[in-house]
Amino acid sequence: MTDFVVIGGGIAGVSAAAHLAPHGSVILLEMESTLAYHTTGRSAALFVINYGTQGSRPLGLASRAFLENPPEGSTDAPLLTHRGLLWIGDETQMMELSRIAREGQDSGAGSRLIPSDEVLGLVPVLNSDRIAGGLFEPYARDIDVAALQQAFVRIARSHDAEIRTRSHVTAIDRRGSGWIVKAGDDTLECGAIVNASGAWGDRVAALADIEPIGLQPMRRTAFMVPGTQDYAHWPMVVDADQRFYFKPDGVQLLCSLAEEEPSEPTDAKPRMEDVALAIELINETTTLGIKSVNSQWTGLRTFSPDRDLVIGEEPTAPGFFWLVGQGGTGIQTSPAYGSLLASHVLGTEIPELLVEAGVEPSTTDPGRFRD
Ligand SMILES: Cc1cc2nc3c(=O)[nH]c(=O)nc-3n(C[C@H](O)[C@H](O)[C@H](O)COP(=O)(O)OP(=O)(O)OC[C@H]3O[C@@H](n4cnc5c(N)ncnc54)[C@H](O)[C@@H]3O)c2cc1C
């Protein structure tokens, strides 16, 4: 009998495992042959306070301490490095820039509206006739996602958690006050289940006869184009209406159309027309003259009906816990939501660090989608 079975080996699943393993036996089940194969391995890897929903913003704030000072022995590399974020706009987008600035005012993001000459000083390849101003967020940082994922794995394993890949969960049944979980040839009996299966969240719940939340996976495509070391100090540049973004990544530029298009849960693949449209928009706005693409991928950002995270016990099925709906902020909020999830599973107080950051559990409670 295992105390906790976690379904899904993306960042959500490994964070849950790391936070639960000190308190009981944990087995994590991942259907692919490697962890982080789906959305977690396909992100833009940015930490930015002034972004996201009512529920995700405090979780981002509360995650900063872990990301800046990860637990001893959990990582050999810093998890955060300086980047900065620059929202840009033309004359028609100034209202939107002001709105984003207002949202960030009380967040500690340190964001400030800047005139066009300062924007062009930060990123000289921007076309001056397309830029009326910008909003600069100096504290935005790059996250080393692989190191963060590995940090959670190390913590979980140091408390004897077991991680099984190629373990596709295909059946979940009630047994007394606990559960029976079938994955491949394995049958596991456990006290509680954590559903951290990302885009497949509603499908995994259906295996346990639980009503769907209404999760919607949304496609987002990113690609790498050739760059130079000279770009390395640029901030990430995002169009005020989120029609595209780009940021330096080593000697390449990571670019995206920033699209949101509904999808089934699947191994999403990029479409040529999305990459071409992003290149067109970036080339119109800059002198980069992008002509070729080194690599491309598409990930699924999964949203609940109110676009906030879903963290906590399913009211209709005691012992079944949701950890889904992270949308576009599932990397930067992962330390805090793992901690919040563990307090729900263990029935303990919400940690002080989360309360101080303004985390309000009702905002992410699955009960809000039930009568
Ligand atoms: C282009 C792009 C840019 C992004 N940029 C950022 C960013 O800058 N900052 C940020 O914080 N976030 C960003 N995100 C969002 C972030 O990547 C996600 O919120 C996060 O990765 C979600 O993690 P997850 O563990 O829930 O999902 P996943 O990584 O998809 O993990 C779910 C896992 O569950 C497994 N699974 C599903 N069903 C089963 C089953 N039946 N049995 C066993 N295993 C199962 C899947 O194989 C998968 O590995 C971005 C996303 C995209 C696509």
Side-chain angles (χ1 to χ4, degrees):
M1 169 88 170
T2 307
D3 292 320
F4 314 116
V5 163
V6 177
I7 304 172
I11 197 83
V14 294
S15 176
H19 285 88
L20 288 171
H23 307 281
S25 51
V26 173
I27 298 181
L28 182 149
L29 303 171
E30 165 55 49
M31 66 180 176
E32 303 291 353
S33 58
T34 53
L35 301 178
Y37 172 78
H38 287 285
T39 310
T40 298
R42 308 178 190 197
S43 88
L46 199 74
F47 178 84
V48 53
I49 296 286
N50 183 20
Y51 183 71
T53 56
Q54 200 193 344
S56 72
R57 285 169 182 249
L59 287 168
L61 260 184
S63 293
R64 197 159 54 182
F66 182 105
L67 295 169
E68 287 176 345
N69 294 299
E72 184 83 36
S74 63
T75 176
D76 307 322
L79 298 179
L80 296 179
T81 47
H82 174 71
R83 172 59 54 208
L85 173 67
L86 178 62
W87 296 91
I88 55 165
D90 61 19
E91 287 297 347
T92 66
Q93 294 172 302
M94 289 299 101
M95 297 259 286
E96 184 55 16
L97 280 183
S98 302
R99 190 195 63 76
I100 301 168
R102 276 197 304 280
E103 268 190 344
Q105 233 159 31
D106 303 323
S107 67
S111 39
R112 60 189 172 87
L113 288 163
I114 57 175
S116 56
D117 56 338
E118 208 176 318
V119 172
L120 296 169
L122 285 167
V123 183
V125 292
L126 288 165
N127 277 332
S128 54
D129 57 346
R130 296 264 172 175
I131 303 297
L135 174 68
F136 186 48
E137 309 212 354
Y139 303 132
R141 279 167 285 176
D142 283 335
I143 307 172
D144 185 334
V145 180
L148 176 59
Q149 171 96 8
Q150 197 52 32
F152 289 133
V153 169
R154 276 194 198 175
I155 296 168
R157 285 199 171 128
S158 73
H159 294 281
D160 300 323
E162 202 186 316
I163 294 177
R164 298 186 188 171
T165 52
R166 294 193 176 90
S167 287
H168 190 171
V169 174
T170 50
I172 302 175
D173 292 300
R174 262 274 170 229
R175 163 88 50 97
S177 60
W179 299 93
I180 300 284
V181 178
K182 288 208 175 100
D185 294 336
D186 294 337
T187 300
L188 303 170
E189 194 170 347
C190 66
I193 290 174
V194 176
N195 176 10
S197 58
W200 289 264
D202 277 339
R203 295 214 177 154
V204 164
L207 297 175
D209 277 337
I210 293 169
E211 286 288 303
I213 291 282
L215 297 171
Q216 181 59 67
M218 297 279 201
R219 289 169 58 84
R220 180 159 288 191
T221 302
F223 53 97
M224 292 286 196
V225 303
T228 85
Q229 198 56 43
D230 300 344
Y231 306 164
H233 62 284
W234 288 353
M236 178 161 169
V237 175
V238 188
D239 171 69
D241 291 315
Q242 298 194 49
R243 294 175 307 148
F244 63 85
Y245 61 73
F246 59 90
K247 75 164 192 172
D249 188 306
V251 291
Q252 305 184 90
L253 280 179
L254 184 159
C255 308
S256 173
L257 183 62
E259 82 276 24
E260 273 193 12
E261 195 189 314
S263 165
E264 288 296 300
T266 184
D267 187 358
K269 302 289 180 212
R271 291 180 195 143
M272 218 160 49
E273 60 268 30
D274 293 336
V275 174
L277 179 56
I279 291 176
E280 190 182 319
L281 291 168
I282 295 171
N283 282 347
E284 275 173 5
T285 313
T286 67
T287 56
L288 283 165
I290 296 169
K291 291 190 192 72
S292 61
V293 171
N294 291 343
S295 59
Q296 52 192 306
W297 64 89
T298 297
L300 298 178
R301 299 152 81 246
T302 297
F303 295 90
S304 74
D306 65 9
R307 292 181 70 91
D308 230 320
L309 291 89
V310 186
I311 308 169
E313 192 168 27
E314 164 59 39
T316 64
F320 185 99
F321 292 84
W322 295 90
L323 184 58
V324 294
Q326 291 89 344
T329 59
I331 310 292
Q332 66 171 24
T333 52
S334 58
Y337 65 59
S339 166
L340 179 59
L341 179 275
S343 68
H344 286 308
V345 175
L346 302 168
T348 53
E349 293 284 309
I350 310 293
E352 199 52 36
L353 176 72
L354 272 62
V355 176
E356 279 168 14
V359 172
E360 176 40 72
S362 62
T363 317
T364 50
D365 184 357
R368 71 193 193 275
F369 299 115
R370 306 297 186 217
D371 292 335

